[in-house]
DNA sequence: TGTACATCAGTGAACGCGCGTTCACTGATGTAC
DNA sequence: TGTACATCAGTGAACGCGCGTTCACTGATGTAC
């Protein structure tokens, strides 16, 4: 019996494993995640994940890195779409895209920021998160060049922008908002909060 | 041999167990937390935690509820101290206190927002988090009465304020900031970000 | 002052389980000659 | 066209372990009479 043939029909195994991590976390929570369950979902022996990712931390780091790459992709798309409208609106777009990604892939988003479970030395992970971060920095730089930053410190604005989007996404995912905020549509909330921030910090229009 | 006598000398056992949770998470991460390790730290049988908290989720919920109570205490103290200076500065104080609490007790802060590991039906937990949330709402209400809110929606400002403080705290704890932001003193960052937010959203002074 | 009883904090043994890692292996595929 | 060899994806059995929960129990304390 050829297992290789079966898995060739299925698809790239490491890729399928990463996909299964999301499923597993969605069903049983991040703290219950196990190599064996992930392997089971893909229909592969429980030793397979370690074969490709070295160990559990390695697998989760690959998953987190993929998350940062996806986040960067989503943000880039959004930036392309709002290229013409200036830095301030581009910043609002990033906020919206950030929250949209987090809410669409809460399991991945969660793992991306749980360093206790990751291999902190993974260069794949660092590169991926750097790429995402640099998109924010570039946009703030654009704001500065357009003069909408006033005398504010660039890094501080970047940090505030990241914080507000990250906080909104985290609070939503943790379930703290649904029963506290009447308008419980996260897309709308993300738009409103991003716009509030940009209007207030960078000046209206 | 009287175990009861020993533990009477030590102190209230449930309290000691809650304390030990923080220690354990600090050392091994939240995902490695076990009832048995917590019991070991207190010097009590591994069945003791279940005796007091029913099960693991119950124990963590009690820990999270304690966290919300502590957070509310810290925020209340800060509000008392800045009572005279008006709603805007009170709001900045809340932000600083929120981040200070989160950074001082990262293990507890983390558990407070990991609902996948908590007993969501715990009324102790809900009451504690409601109390903390209401402090924010009251302060925003004060801002509205002082007219510093302009035509902004109260709930939206509350959400934005919570998000920015929560995001900053989470990003710091996750280790994303230390090597990205040159000024890596979290107290200073929290002050600057809070002040930026309040100045921008509520108008300078 | 003494006895009987209820309460309850905490024990410790037992359960069955799923876990991560290791390792020698199989068998398919591609390449060199 | 055929053979020999290296590579590597994936297996499956075995390991030792720590876990959460259950349960009958002990023994100290407080209360009622």
């Amino acid at each position: 019996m050829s297992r290789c043939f079966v898995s060739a029909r299925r698809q790239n195994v490491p890729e399928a494993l990463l996909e299964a991590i999301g499923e597993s976390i969605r069903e049983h929570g991040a703290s219950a995640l196990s190599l064996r369950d992930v392997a089971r979902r893909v229909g592969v022996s429980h030793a397979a994940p370690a074969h490709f990712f070295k160990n559990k931390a390695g697998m989760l780091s690959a998953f987190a890195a993929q998350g940062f790459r996806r986040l960067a992709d989503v943000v880039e798309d959004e930036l392309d779409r709002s290229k013409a409208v200036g830095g301030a609106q581009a910043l609002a777009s990033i906020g919206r895209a950030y929250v949209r990604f987090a809410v669409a892939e809460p399991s991945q988003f969660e793992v991306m920021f749980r360093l206790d479970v990751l291999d902190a030395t993974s260069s794949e992970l660092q590169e991926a998160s750097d790429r995402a971060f640099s998109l924010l920095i570039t946009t703030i730089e654009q704001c500065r060049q357009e003069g909408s930053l006033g005398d504010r410190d660039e890094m501080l604005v970047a940090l505030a922008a990241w914080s507000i989007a990250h906080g909104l996404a985290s609070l939503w995912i943790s379930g703290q908002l649904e029963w506290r905020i009447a308008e419980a549509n996260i897309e709308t909330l993300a738009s409103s909060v991003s716009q509030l921030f940009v209007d207030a910090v960078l000046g209206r229009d």
Side-chain angles (χ1 to χ4, degrees), chain A:
Chain A
M1 184 182 58
S2 157
R3 292 279 183 169
C4 287
F5 179 61
V6 172
S7 64
R9 271 196 305 163
R10 200 168 38 224
Q11 69 170 307
N12 188 294
V13 170
E15 211 169 286
L17 288 168
L18 292 186
E19 208 173 297
I21 297 173
E23 273 177 36
S24 178
I25 295 181
R26 231 168 289 133
E27 277 178 41
H28 304 116
S31 23
L33 185 83
S34 75
L35 288 181
R36 291 171 105 110
D37 182 60
V38 170
R40 239 175 269 127
R41 281 163 197 276
V42 175
V44 105
S45 100
H46 68 260
H51 178 67
F52 292 107
F53 299 113
K54 181 168 158 63
N55 55 26
K56 195 181 178 183
M59 186 180 77
L60 285 172
S61 300
F63 182 61
Q66 183 194 55
F68 277 109
R69 270 181 258 119
R70 286 180 175 177
L71 172 61
D73 289 346
V74 167
V75 168
E76 247 169 17
D77 284 356
E78 193 69 36
L79 284 179
D80 286 349
R81 207 165 303 123
S82 68
K83 201 181 297 179
V85 295
Q89 283 316 305
L91 189 57
S93 297
I94 292 185
R96 264 181 271 122
Y98 193 95
V99 176
R100 196 182 316 123
F101 168 78
V103 168
E105 306 285 350
S107 334
Q108 196 154 31
F109 183 75
E110 198 181 339
V111 171
M112 287 159 63
F113 296 95
R114 299 237 356 234
L115 87 168
D116 64 315
V117 106
L118 301 176
D119 172 10
T121 71
S122 158
S123 58
E124 183 197 3
L125 181 54
Q126 294 212 2
E127 280 162 27
S129 73
D130 278 350
R131 186 185 141 215
F133 184 62
S134 73
L135 293 173
L136 174 62
I137 297 300
T138 305
T139 303
I140 302 274
E141 174 62 18
Q142 187 188 345
C143 291
R144 198 191 58 70
Q145 284 170 5
E146 293 173 3
S148 54
L149 222 57
D151 59 353
R152 297 194 206 282
D153 179 70
E154 274 179 50
M155 216 38 168
L156 190 60
V157 174
L159 179 58
W162 191 6
S163 293
I164 203 165
H166 189 80
L168 179 59
S170 303
L171 289 173
W172 176 265
I173 290 172
S174 80
Q176 291 285 335
L177 300 185
E178 285 159 300
W179 49 289
R180 269 196 233 285
I181 310 282
E183 166 63 78
N185 177 321
I186 183 60
E187 285 273 355
T188 311
L189 288 179
S191 273
S192 306
V193 168
S194 297
Q195 205 57 53
L196 169 70
F197 178 82
V198 166
D199 285 351
V201 174
L202 303 183
R204 214 168 289 245
D205 79 70

